[in-house]
């Protein structure tokens, strides 16, 4: 995960690589966006513009799609993204206490990025790992059956 | 597949990987070689085996001994003791209490649990999902071979229709009927879509099928394509399911190489191929028309229906959309016949159902049981009873779009029709078992928060209705609700149900109606007494007022 405004050339080459892999059709839009979002950490305005040019789609369409899916972001995120699952199976296993611990430890509310650019805290409707609630995903790493006590130790793994 | 003495499986669901399954597997391969056992021992990473308490797990067949949690440094000892000397390395076994209702070892101990029956999960956890030959050795691609050489497309549809198979995505629509609609629609192009956007909270059965037995879905989609005259299929996989996507990708490659996908399958002249499309995080894309919009590269907003996808689907062409679990039933039906399939389940809902059992039971996990089993049986037999002597208060079925089932309905057979008669829904197959510490207002608030976030916003009743009901429920849980709020909730619930464009909005209010029907006194206590009987709700507004 990286932050900050991207060099235009970087953005263009990332978009080109994605378009080459998935094709320049409307059907390829979501796979292309996913790859660009993964490479750059988010979808900067330049990236949307480049994708629009390659796929011959209006920017209104690009913004509407980019804002619809949870896995895409049009804003830069912190170096580490924490996703907290707020679904019912995690909730009944102690999710509420866990979210409080996360908020307290990070000093962040859901949706916010820390001032030093280290953390972004997000809530998710369901992360699909319901057997081991409550669940937190940091970057790609899944942590199941997380107790509030484990929070500092987990966060310390991500400098 | 060459015969081996032992098969060693390592769990490789995302959490196992996180806990070092990859390292365990590498060490396993090294040690097997070091002891010169590579001719006798086969090893594979098998995805999610349905239990998470002691992962990563290492399972040795045919003995079905389960070790876990296994650390890389344990592997040498395990290989030497168990695989070389043939002794169980007792200190490293997974806790015995947990050994029930789990998928990996169940086939090995078939019959020890009452009513256990595997059709869908027959191979998951037992074969190497990355090896097509292992699948073939377990009757794989036999159904498609038989269909293409001995059956007409109409006969395939007839067999599925007679089996009584109904969609496992939640609605229970007869699969054979859906296929017949598409088959009889004239079009040069048709599509088969596998809906693997499993996003109902608490449901991860499809992930286990995709991770553990990806070829079964390829085979089923090919059968569907043959039956309706489609030559192209899409698997729309939830974006979070990375391992499932990887396994499916490999499986499709292997199937193409072996000629099970591509031109002229089995020399029949029939052509079929499959693409994978990854979701990007939107619950609504599990709704079939939203899913189609998403494949087309748009926002996942449901279309108005009719026309239904069976006549106007992907790119405007007739399209079959089937859930993963539904499809997984297809090859066994073609292989064994409709009459065989009807032996399981109830007469109106034949076959089995896969459930994820979660919450306050002693054993959580995945089970496949015949349709018609009761909640009481599930809790007692597979869940091994309620945790720590608490008592059963309610179950929430089918993720968020299911129903809240009170204890009074725990003897209702769980099949589509019996549940519909009781006014509840089977949903997608999650059973969140809640004990008497659960507050129904709190639970409904969490459920409506989910819909509030996942409503696509296209139609007003859903966009506003989910927001308003969530706000009212939040007020109740903070002790600032009024009695008239309960009437408002019912009005909003009716509006959501009758006016929403798609299933999300139509079912969003089910929890509200359920709690007001079955737990009205408890809800009213939040208003009349300003007390949460279970002590879960904060009632913070009331305290603020008093202060």
């Amino acid at each position: 995960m990286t932050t900050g405004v991207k060099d235009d050339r970087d953005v263009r080459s990332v978009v080109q690589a994605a378009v080459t892999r998935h094709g320049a059709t409307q059907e390829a839009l979501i796979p292309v966006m996913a790859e660009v979002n993964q490479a750059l950490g988010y979808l900067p305005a330049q990236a949307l513009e480049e994708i629009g040019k390659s796929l011959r789609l209006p920017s209104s369409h690009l913004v509407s799609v980019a804002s619809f899916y949870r896995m895409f972001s049009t804003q830069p995120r912190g170096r580490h993204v924490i996703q907290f699952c707020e679904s019912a199976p995690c909730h009944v296993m102690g999710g509420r206490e866990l979210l409080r611990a996360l908020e307290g430890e990070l000093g962040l509310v859901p949706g916010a990025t820390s001032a030093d650019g280290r953390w972004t805290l997000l809530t998710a409707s369901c992360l699909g790992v319901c057997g081991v609630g409550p669940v937190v995903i940091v970057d790609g790493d899944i942590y199941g059956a997380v107790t509030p006590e484990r929070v500092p130790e987990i966060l310390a793994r991500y400098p | 597949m060459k015969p081996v003495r032992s098969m060693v499986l390592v769990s490789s669901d995302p959490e196992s990987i996180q806990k070092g399954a990859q390292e365990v597997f590498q060490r396993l391969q090294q040690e097997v070689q070091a002891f010169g056992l590579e001719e006798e021992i086969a090893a594979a990473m098998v995805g999610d085996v349905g239990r998470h308490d002691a992962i990563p797990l290492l399972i040795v067949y045919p003995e079905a001994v389960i070790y876990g949690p296994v650390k890389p440094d344990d592997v040498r000892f395990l290989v030497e003791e168990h695989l070389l000397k043939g002794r169980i390395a007792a200190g490293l076994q997974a806790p015995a209490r947990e050994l029930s209702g789990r998928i990996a070892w169940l086939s090995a101990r078939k019959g020890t649990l009452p009513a256990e029956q595997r059709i869908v999960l027959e191979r998951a956890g037992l074969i190497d999902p990355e090896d097509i030959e292992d699948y073939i050795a377990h009757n794989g691609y036999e159904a498609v071979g038989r269909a293409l050489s001995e059956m007409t497309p109409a006969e395939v549809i007839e067999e599925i229709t007679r089996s009584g198979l109904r969609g496992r995505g939640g609605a229970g629509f007869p699969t054979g009927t859906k296929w017949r609609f598409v088959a009889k629609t004239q079009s040069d192009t048709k599509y088969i879509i596998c809906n693997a956007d499993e996003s109902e909270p608490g449901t991860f059965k499809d992930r286990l099928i995709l991770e553990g037995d990806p070829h079964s879905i390829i085979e089923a989609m090919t059968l569907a394509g043959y039956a309706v005259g489609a030559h192209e299929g899409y698997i729309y996989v939830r974006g979070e399911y990375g391992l499932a996507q990887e396994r499916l990708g490999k499986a499709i490659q292997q199937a193409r190489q072996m000629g099970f996908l591509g031109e002229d399958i089995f020399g029949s002249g029939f052509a079929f191929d499959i693409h994978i499309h990854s979701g990007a995080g939107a619950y609504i894309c599990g709704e079939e028309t939203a899913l189609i919009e998403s494949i087309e590269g748009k926002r996942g907003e449901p279309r108005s229906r009719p026309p239904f996808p069976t006549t106007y689907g992907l790119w405007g062409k007739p399209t079959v959309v089937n859930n993963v679990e539904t499809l997984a039933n297809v090859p066994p039906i073609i292989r064994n016949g409709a009459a065989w399939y009807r032996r399981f389940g109830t007469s109106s809902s034949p076959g089995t159902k896969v459930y994820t059992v979660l919450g306050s039971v002693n054993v959580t996990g995945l089970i496949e049981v015949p349709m018609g089993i009761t909640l009481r049986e599930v809790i007692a037999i597979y869940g091994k009873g309620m945790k720590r002597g608490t008592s059963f208060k309610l179950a929430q079925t089918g993720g968020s779009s299911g129903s809240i089932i009170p204890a009074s309905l725990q003897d209702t057979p769980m099949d589509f029709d019996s549940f519909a008669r009781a006014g509840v829904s089977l949903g997608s197959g999650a059973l969140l078992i809640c004990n008497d510490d659960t507050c129904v207002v709190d639970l409904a608030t969490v459920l409506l928060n989910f819909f509030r976030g996942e409503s696509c916003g296209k139609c007003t009743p859903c966009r506003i209705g989910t927001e308003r009901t969530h706000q009212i429920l939040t007020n109740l849980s903070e002790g600032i609700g009024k009695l008239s709020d309960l009437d408002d909730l019912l009005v909003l619930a009716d509006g959501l149900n009758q006016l929403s464009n798609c299933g999300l909005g139509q079912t969003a209010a089910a929890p509200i109606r359920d709690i007001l029907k079955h737990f009205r006194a408890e809800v009213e206590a939040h208003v009349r007494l300003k007390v949460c009987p279970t002590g879960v709700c904060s009632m913070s507004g009331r305290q603020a007022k008093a202060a």
Side-chain angles (χ1 to χ4, degrees), chain B residues 203-396:
Chain B
T203 313
F204 50 94
K205 63 187 176 63
D206 294 347
R207 173 161 64 84
L208 269 70
I209 298 169
L210 297 170
E211 287 176 359
D213 197 11
H215 283 284
S216 68
I217 299 306
I218 295 172
E219 181 173 10
M221 290 175 71
T222 309
L223 284 164
Y226 176 68
V228 306
H231 302 288
E232 219 175 328
Y234 286 82
I235 308 178
Y236 188 97
V237 190
R238 182 175 180 183
E240 286 86 349
Y241 285 3
L243 182 65
Q245 293 183 16
E246 195 186 311
R247 292 253 161 95
L248 280 168
K250 281 185 189 164
I252 289 171
Q253 283 302 333
Q254 290 173 352
R256 283 180 189 148
Q257 278 162 15
M258 304 274 281
F260 295 125
L261 284 177
E263 303 295 322
D264 195 20
I265 299 168
F266 281 105
S268 64
F270 175 69
F272 193 74
D273 206 357
I274 296 176
H275 316 278
I276 300 173
H277 192 103
S278 170
Y283 166 77
I284 187 61
C285 289
E287 198 279 340
E288 58 183 8
T289 60
L291 184 156
I292 288 170
E293 290 279 301
S294 183
I295 292 181
E296 293 182 359
K298 302 183 215 156
R299 287 166 75 90
E301 291 177 347
R303 297 173 176 172
S304 296
R305 304 181 305 174
F308 290 92
T310 47
T311 50
Y312 189 91
L314 184 61
W315 311 113
K317 303 294 183 189
T319 303
V320 169
V321 186
N322 281 150
N323 167 264
V324 171
E325 188 188 343
T326 314
L327 285 169
N329 279 289
V330 167
I333 292 171
I334 297 299
R335 215 169 54 232
N336 302 309
W340 166 83
Y341 190 74
R342 293 200 81 101
R343 297 209 318 247
F344 310 106
T346 61
S347 61
S348 67
S349 306
T352 59
K353 180 82 193 80
V354 181
Y355 294 102
T356 42
V357 183
L358 303 165
S360 308
V361 284
N362 284 316
V363 179
T364 60
L366 200 78
I367 57 170
E368 178 174 354
V369 291
M371 283 279 190
I373 192 169
T374 66
L375 212 42
R376 187 190 298 276
E377 290 170 306
V378 167
I379 294 169
I381 299 169
Y382 302 102
K384 295 272 178 256
M386 298 297 292
K387 247 181 202 165
R388 289 187 299 273
T390 54
S391 57
F392 172 63
K393 176 171 183 177
L394 59 93
Q396 208 253 322

Side-chain angles (χ1 to χ4, degrees), chain A residues 26-27 29-31 61 64-65 67-72 86-89 91-93 96 125-132 141-144 157, chain B residues 14-15 18 52 201-202 204 207 234 238-240 277 280-282 284 294-300 315 358 432 442 446-447 449-450 454 456 536:
Chain A
Q26 183 176 324
E27 183 185 349
L29 176 59
I30 291 169
H61 186 83
S64 85
V65 171
S67 60
F68 187 81
Y69 295 95
R70 184 171 53 75
M71 291 166 89
F72 301 150
E86 55 179 5
S87 73
H91 178 81
V92 300
M93 300 305 284
R96 183 205 312 261
S125 294
C126 173
L127 294 167
V129 210
C130 319
V132 288
D141 305 332
I142 298 169
Y143 296 93
R157 298 183 197 185
Chain B
E15 228 214 334
Q18 163 72 16
H52 299 262
F204 50 94
R207 173 161 64 84
Y234 286 82
R238 182 175 180 183
E240 286 86 349
H277 192 103
I284 187 61
S294 183
I295 292 181
E296 293 182 359
K298 302 183 215 156
R299 287 166 75 90
W315 311 113
L358 303 165
L432 178 61
D442 179 63
V446 170
L447 295 173
N449 184 48
F450 175 86
E454 293 298 332
C456 78
V536 171

Side-chain angles (χ1 to χ4, degrees), chain B residues 459-475:
Chain B
C459 76
T460 315
C462 175
R463 185 179 66 244
I464 307 288
T466 52
E467 187 66 40
R468 269 303 286 149
T469 46
H470 177 258
Q471 184 55 51
I472 294 174
L473 287 164
T474 306
N475 288 348

